[in-house]
Amino acid sequence: MLHILDLSGQHIKSFTGHSASVNDISMDITGDFIATASIDGQVVVHSLSGAEVPSFNLKRPVRTVALEPNFAKSSTRSLVSGGLAGNLILHEKGWLGYKETILHTGEGPIWQVRWRDNLIAWANDLGVKIYDTQSQTRITFIERPADSPRADLFKCTLHWQDESTLLIGWADQIKVARIRTRPRKSASASNLPPLLVEITAIFQLECMISGIVPHPLSSQSSAVPTAQVDIADKKANGTGSIRSVASKPPSLTAFLVLAYTPPDMSLLTGNEATADRAEQARKQAERPELRIISRAGEELAADALGITNYERWNCNDYVLVDIEPSPLKAAAPGGAGDRYYIVLSPKDLVVVKPRDWRDHVAWLVERQRYEEALEVLERRSDEAVGAASDADAVDAVQIGQRYIEHLVAEGDFAKAARLCPKVCGQDTKRWEDWIFVFAQKHQLQAIIPFIPTESPTLGPLVYEIVLTHFLAHDRQALLQTIKTWPKGIYDIAAVIVAVQSELDRAPSSSSMKSTGPDTVILMECLAELYTLNRQPGKALPYFLRLRRPNVFDLIRENNLFTDVQDQALLLVEFDQELREKRKEAGEDIDSDPVGAITLLVDHIHSIPIGRVVQQLQARPFYLYLYLDALFHKDPHFTSAYADTQVKLYAEYSPRRLVDFLRASNYYNLEEAYNVCRERDLVPEMVFLLGRMGNNKKALNLIIERLGDVSRAIDFAKEQHDDDLWEDLLRYSETRPPFIRGLLENVGAEIDPIRLIRRIKNGLEIPGLKGALIKILHDFNLQVSLLEGCETIMNGDCADLVLKLHRNQTSGFFLSAKTPCPICNKPISQPANGFALLFLCRHVVHSHCVDHGEDLPHQPDPTLVGMGIGGQPGLSGKIAFTAILRAKITQGCPVCHKQSEGDRT
């Protein structure tokens, strides 16, 4: 029975056409027609797609058959067969059926025949012959090797490598025959065949050849064919899968040989008839091997095949055939493409393909050379960028997993950790498993630098384990990790509890200025954690204790003013320290406001003034800064602390005390005067005495202590007290500098004549002449100013009078629809009334003025013309107007209301 399988072993179709074993199978290039030869003497041609099944009965066992390569498209549907009858028969289809032509006979059994293009090669007991179907001539005869073993035990294998190259494997010898065209002159002269054959290579092997096919090799590596079932793996000393490697780069094409080692050497020596029963016993055969033989005759590689019951089979029981790859894949970089080989035995059908990078990787992994295997995979991935994914791709992750396991077992944790990102990739489960393994091995430090925080993000427990490790072993790394890791990947509250517990056990953790470096780091960690957890209020005390420059920004950004109510002194002290550092660095800080004071002053509603003052009582200078800033914002804010401010100004800023005394009305005058007297602050004492009403004492202080005539004059001007001027004049009678000062600063408050008359005769006053000239000049200037002002005023009055007259005498537009400014009704309503026109150009109804009902009615013009009801002409109008004016005492009602502030 003939079974058709695909390369994956799936059954396609079966045929029954023989009653005995099949010796040979041949397919055409389309794969649609299959010819079989059997020892039952039958040759049958099967079709996968058609029902035509031609068969030929040759009466004797048939050893071999070959279809015409283009059998499916050929009109003759030719095939050639041969067997134990010794005849090589060509079967050709004609009009009346198939005809048979004997191409060769009489030289013993035909062991194998192969057809390529127009050449047919066959082997018998004497050798190999080649027949040209185009010229219908036999073109060559290649003798059987001398001393060759029996042909029926060690068959001849023929394989057409291409249209002009024939590979011959017979026993332990390989011959390469090259067919070429015979030169035309020699062919015509001697009547020779048009083709000739040259033996280009002969190789002697140490094994018997069960099959031979060409094996393409890449220029970079020798692809060792590997069987897909039960491959026996031997080591380098005889049990290795690769027996030898050529020292030179192999040629582009080598030979793949199915090697058979005979167990009984008597078959080779001819000593078969022996009386020794031990030698007569059947010996077990060795495993068949696939060997790659280069064109130089070197064995490049070998692989043993795991054939079922191999010890029972002999050389002729094996068959090796090749399956050509598709043209596209064969032309692809890397060599053989999807080239396959088939090894047949009586019990097995083995699919063999060249070893590729996958096999190399598997070989490396098997020998625990994981790093090299991963390097091969990386190179392969780089080469395959953009190519379609391979269904048989090697699982690099699994190899990496085994490599990490190997490194961990060897104790190389650093190298294993470096490998984790490549192996684990985006697999969170694998990441977590390996991190737990490192933690159990107490080697967490090795893998921490490689733990991902994004893409992928692992479970919170993993990150908490890392932070706990840092808390116990490297707190500086803990702080750095908290700063760099994104928030939300671990439970911040749990970490805060752990760090707080450590801080509570640390020395000096309750002091405001911790000196221990571990304590400082722990506080920094807590501050960062509270900030990440959106609890800036809890982070603030740690930032203050750590003296962080961003404290004030933190307070403002997070509105933490209520949280610093009891931290006022700490804030001011911290800010002063920052200012001192800036001052030492050479910065000008005098003009910069104190940040802490500004913050406290700007948020008095959240930070009560009383609580701040209470905290700053122990530091008077800070209290002075706070109350001063508060006073500048609003003097009423410090009304309760005015007396304290007097003392603070007198202590820390005496020059600004008088400004405070002038601006504030909330301090006690007596207490303020006593403070100034204790510190001998004369100008402040003068001001306070003046405010208390003791002007004479104040003036005496100015004169006696300060001797400042200008200040004395200014003081006298401020008080507006004539007696004080008299005291100043009396005091100045004997002091020429004061007289000169008074003369230079005399004004409206004192008559110059009054001062000059008090000057005693003979008193020498330096600068008197200049002072008198100044008085005269000032007087002339005042007179000139008065005259100029009078002229301007007279001119303005004349202009205004002319404008008033022009406005009152000029006409203006008035219609019946003009509204009355009082009632907003048209002037023409009511019809029986009359309108009043004032010189201010306001026109109102007669009944809209005060007491309008008492006004007389306007005389009827008709009756007046008849001499009834009034005087006619202009005199009558003047008389009626005089009566109205006498009745209307307030003038224009509109102007009257405007003068009273009413809007019309």
Side-chain angles (χ1 to χ4, degrees):
M1 180 174 286
L2 175 66
H3 300 284
I4 309 299
L5 310 176
D6 62 14
L7 292 177
S8 63
Q10 297 295 323
H11 181 268
I12 297 177
K13 201 170 186 180
S14 296
F15 300 98
T16 57
H18 298 284
S19 59
S21 300
V22 175
N23 287 329
D24 197 8
I25 301 174
S26 177
M27 300 179 69
D28 71 337
I29 59 175
T30 65
D32 188 37
F33 290 92
I34 305 164
T36 56
S38 174
I39 62 175
D40 62 0
Q42 295 285 333
V43 174
V44 182
V45 179
H46 308 275
S47 175
L48 293 178
S49 58
E52 181 183 2
V53 184
S55 62
F56 310 93
N57 187 0
L58 302 182
K59 309 300 184 181
R60 294 285 303 275
V62 183
R63 297 288 302 181
T64 182
V65 65
L67 288 175
E68 182 181 3
N70 200 17
F71 183 88
K73 298 180 180 179
S74 175
S75 60
T76 60
R77 297 287 178 96
S78 303
L79 68 149
V80 63
S81 63
L84 297 182
N87 299 325
L88 181 65
I89 301 174
L90 175 63
H91 306 271
E92 294 178 299
K93 186 177 182 181
W95 290 101
L96 301 177
Y98 274 91
K99 68 176 181 176
E100 297 180 356
T101 304
I102 299 177
L103 300 180
H104 180 76
T105 186
E107 293 183 356
I110 305 299
W111 300 111
Q112 193 167 62
V113 61
R114 292 293 180 260
W115 194 339
R116 181 69 175 261
D117 201 9
N118 60 334
L119 298 176
I120 301 174
W122 72 93
N124 54 27
D125 286 342
L126 300 182
V128 177
K129 298 176 176 62
I130 301 176
Y131 179 82
D132 182 7
T133 58
Q134 186 174 359
S135 63
Q136 297 184 353
T137 58
R138 192 179 72 183
I139 61 175
T140 189
F141 168 66
I142 303 171
E143 291 184 341
R144 177 184 173 188
D147 301 328
S148 178
R150 289 167 49 185
D152 58 335
L153 296 179
F154 302 99
K155 65 181 179 179
C156 176
T157 302
L158 302 177
H159 185 86
W160 286 101
Q161 179 174 331
D162 52 40
E163 288 78 2
S164 60
T165 306
L166 177 64
L167 304 181
I168 304 171
W170 206 326
D172 57 353
Q173 192 177 85
I174 298 175
K175 289 183 180 180
V176 181
R178 182 75 174 172
I179 294 91
R180 64 184 181 86
T181 305
R182 188 184 300 273
R184 292 184 178 181
K185 292 183 179 180
S186 60
S188 60
S190 56
N191 236 355
L192 296 175
L195 302 176
L196 60 86
V197 177
E198 295 178 348
I199 302 300
T200 59
I202 300 176
F203 306 102
Q204 189 72 33
L205 305 182
E206 298 177 353
C207 61
M208 296 297 133
I209 301 173
S210 295
I212 182 171
V213 292
H215 176 63
L217 296 178
S218 65
S219 59
Q220 297 180 351
S221 61
S222 59
V224 182
T226 174
Q228 297 264 341
V229 296
D230 280 343
I231 302 301
D233 186 15
K234 300 181 182 179
K235 298 183 179 177
N237 58 2
T239 60
S241 63
I242 298 180
R243 180 175 297 175
S244 62
V245 177
S247 59
K248 297 180 180 179
S251 57
L252 295 178
T253 306
F255 308 116
L256 179 63
V257 175
L258 180 57
Y260 174 82
T261 303
D264 191 354
M265 300 306 295
S266 63
L267 299 177
L268 303 179
T269 60
N271 188 20
E272 301 175 23
T274 176
D276 190 350
R277 296 184 64 87
E279 292 184 8
Q280 291 179 357
R282 182 182 181 89
K283 298 178 177 61
Q284 293 184 351
E286 296 184 10
R287 289 179 183 273
E289 294 182 354
L290 285 175
R291 298 182 184 180
I292 298 177
I293 309 299
S294 71
R295 290 284 180 172
E298 298 176 348
E299 184 179 311
L300 301 179
D303 231 333
L305 298 176
I307 302 297
T308 303
N309 298 330
Y310 65 89
E311 63 276 357
R312 298 169 52 186
W313 313 132
N314 56 35
C315 182
N316 290 354
D317 291 330
Y318 297 105
V319 177
L320 173 64
V321 295
D322 65 341
I323 300 176
E324 295 288 341
S326 62
L328 293 177
K329 293 187 177 180
D338 288 342
R339 190 181 188 91
Y340 288 87
Y341 305 97
I342 305 296
V343 176
L344 292 89
S345 73
K347 293 292 185 180
D348 292 327
L349 186 150
V350 181
V351 178
V352 179
K353 64 179 181 179
R355 289 188 183 273
D356 57 6
W357 61 273
R358 301 177 188 84
D359 302 299
H360 182 50
V361 169
W363 186 83
L364 291 172
V365 170
E366 187 177 352
R367 284 152 183 79
Q368 296 185 352
R369 292 161 63 175
Y370 301 105
E371 187 171 5
E372 298 178 37
L374 291 176
E375 290 175 358
V376 173
L377 290 175
E378 288 181 2
R379 289 196 301 269
R380 180 68 186 179
S381 63
D382 294 339
E383 295 172 358
V385 172
S389 59
D390 198 336
D392 297 329
V394 178
D395 189 355
V397 174
Q398 189 63 31
I399 295 175
Q401 186 86 355
R402 293 176 61 180
Y403 188 24
I404 296 177
E405 293 173 358
H406 173 72
L407 292 174
V408 170
E410 294 292 328
D412 194 350
F413 294 98
K415 196 170 185 179
R418 288 195 299 270
L419 190 62
C420 282
K422 292 183 179 180
V423 175
C424 300
Q426 301 294 320
D427 192 336
T428 57
K429 178 66 168 57
R430 186 175 284 110
W431 266 112
E432 293 174 0
D433 291 343
W434 277 118
I435 292 171
F436 291 145
V437 169
F438 275 77
Q440 291 173 358
K441 300 286 186 180
H442 304 288
Q443 295 293 332
L444 196 59
Q445 186 66 34
I447 199 174
I448 286 176
F450 306 99
I451 295 178
T453 57
E454 297 177 353
S455 185
T457 301
L458 308 181
L461 180 60
V462 173
Y463 300 112
E464 292 166 17
I465 290 175
V466 174
L467 294 176
T468 304
H469 171 80
F470 281 144
L471 181 61
H473 300 91
D474 190 348
R475 292 176 177 176
Q476 189 64 43
L478 172 65
L479 176 60
Q480 189 64 28
T481 303
I482 292 173
K483 290 181 178 179
T484 55
W485 275 4
K487 61 180 180 180
I489 63 175
Y490 56 91
D491 188 352
I492 299 177
V495 179
I496 288 175
V497 171
V499 176
Q500 185 66 57
S501 178
E502 287 292 324
L503 182 62
D504 294 340
R505 291 197 297 267
S508 305
S509 62
S510 60
S511 63
M512 297 305 292
K513 294 183 179 180
S514 303
T515 56
D518 286 345
T519 303
V520 171
I521 293 176
L522 290 175
M523 287 194 297
E524 290 183 357
C525 291
L526 280 176
E528 293 292 339
L529 288 169
Y530 278 123
T531 303
L532 292 174
N533 206 32
R534 298 181 179 179
Q535 295 177 290
K538 294 185 177 181
L540 180 61
Y542 297 104
F543 281 127
L544 286 174
R545 291 162 64 182
L546 293 168
R547 299 295 193 260
R548 288 287 184 85
N550 63 336
V551 166
F552 302 107
D553 295 334
L554 179 70
I555 295 172
R556 291 188 178 92
E557 291 172 0
N558 297 278
N559 196 20
L560 301 179
F561 307 110
T562 56
D563 295 288
V564 297
Q565 289 182 357
D566 299 323
Q567 307 286 338
L569 178 59
L570 193 60
L571 276 175
V572 179
E573 287 179 343
F574 172 47
D575 192 38
Q576 286 299 117
E577 290 180 9
L578 293 179
R579 292 172 64 85
E580 290 297 328
K581 291 180 180 178
R582 291 171 56 192
K583 187 175 182 180
E584 293 175 359
E587 297 184 26
D588 183 14
I589 63 172
D590 293 336
S591 59
D592 295 342
V594 181
I597 298 297
T598 303
L599 185 143
L600 295 173
V601 171
D602 291 343
H603 302 88
I604 56 175
H605 299 290
S606 301
I607 311 173
I609 297 174
R611 299 183 70 167
V612 177
V613 171
Q614 183 179 1
Q615 295 176 61
L616 300 181
Q617 287 288 354
R619 303 295 295 272
F621 179 68
Y622 296 157
L623 182 60
Y624 154 71
L625 294 176
Y626 175 68
L627 292 177
D628 178 59
L630 204 60
F631 180 78
H632 279 82
K633 183 175 183 179
D634 190 340
H636 299 288
F637 289 159
T638 61
S639 58
Y641 310 100
D643 294 332
T644 303
Q645 274 189 285
V646 172
K647 297 178 182 179
L648 294 173
Y649 276 115
E651 179 69 25
Y652 298 106
S653 184
R655 294 182 179 180
R656 300 177 57 191
L657 176 58
V658 68
D659 296 331
F660 172 75
L661 295 175
R662 294 178 186 276
S664 178
N665 296 317
Y666 301 105
Y667 55 87
N668 185 284
L669 295 175
E670 291 291 339
E671 293 184 5
Y673 180 77
N674 293 332
V675 171
C676 295
R677 185 176 59 186
E678 291 175 0
R679 291 168 174 77
D680 197 23
L681 302 176
V682 177
E684 289 76 9
M685 294 168 62
V686 170
F687 175 78
L688 292 171
L689 288 172
R691 177 164 284 191
M692 289 187 292
N694 196 347
N695 296 329
K696 292 186 177 182
K697 187 175 181 180
L699 184 62
N700 288 332
L701 282 176
I702 295 174
I703 296 172
E704 298 293 342
R705 297 290 302 278
L706 299 178
D708 189 346
V709 62
S710 299
R711 186 184 292 270
I713 294 173
D714 292 339
F715 180 76
K717 290 180 179 179
E718 291 175 0
Q719 304 304 321
H720 302 287
D721 188 353
D722 191 62
D723 294 337
L724 198 60
W725 281 108
E726 186 64 27
D727 293 339
L728 181 57
L729 292 175
R730 189 184 308 110
Y731 179 82
S732 302
E733 289 177 355
T734 58
R735 290 176 172 78
F738 272 77
I739 295 175
R740 179 186 171 185
L742 288 171
L743 291 173
E744 291 178 349
N745 293 280
V746 72
E749 292 82 2
I750 183 172
D751 186 3
I753 301 301
R754 179 182 175 187
L755 176 60
I756 294 172
R757 287 176 177 174
R758 299 181 75 98
I759 300 175
K760 295 180 180 180
N761 294 330
L763 182 62
E764 185 177 352
I765 302 174
L768 178 62
K769 180 179 178 181
L772 294 175
I773 293 173
K774 183 177 183 300
I775 291 174
L776 295 175
H777 182 270
D778 291 343
F779 179 76
N780 292 331
L781 180 62
Q782 290 180 5
V783 172
S784 177
L785 288 174
L786 289 174
E787 292 176 351
C789 292
E790 184 179 5
T791 302
I792 293 172
M793 184 179 65
N794 292 335
D796 290 343
C797 289
D799 292 339
L800 291 174
V801 168
L802 291 175
K803 183 177 180 181
L804 176 63
H805 180 266
R806 185 170 55 253
N807 290 336
Q808 290 179 346
T809 57
S810 61
F812 65 95
F813 177 79
L814 182 66
S815 66
K817 296 182 179 181
T818 301
C820 172
I822 303 299
C823 65
N824 290 325
K825 294 181 180 180
I827 292 296
S828 59
Q829 298 177 2
N832 57 352
F834 61 93
L836 300 177
L837 172 62
F838 296 91
L839 291 177
C840 60
R841 298 193 173 194
H842 290 138
V843 180
V844 298
H845 291 119
S846 59
H847 61 267
C848 289
V849 300
D850 292 340
H851 308 291
E853 64 276 3
D854 298 335
L855 296 179
H857 296 285
Q858 186 177 13
D860 188 353
T862 303
L863 297 177
V864 171
M866 297 173 63
I868 302 173
Q871 299 178 1
L874 181 62
S875 60
K877 294 180 179 180
I878 294 174
F880 182 73
T881 302
I883 295 171
L884 293 178
R885 185 176 295 173
K887 294 287 184 178
I888 303 174
T889 58
Q890 294 181 348
C892 175
V894 178
C895 294
H896 180 69
K897 289 186 176 182
Q898 289 179 350
S899 64
E900 292 181 350
D902 295 340
R903 297 182 63 184
T904 59

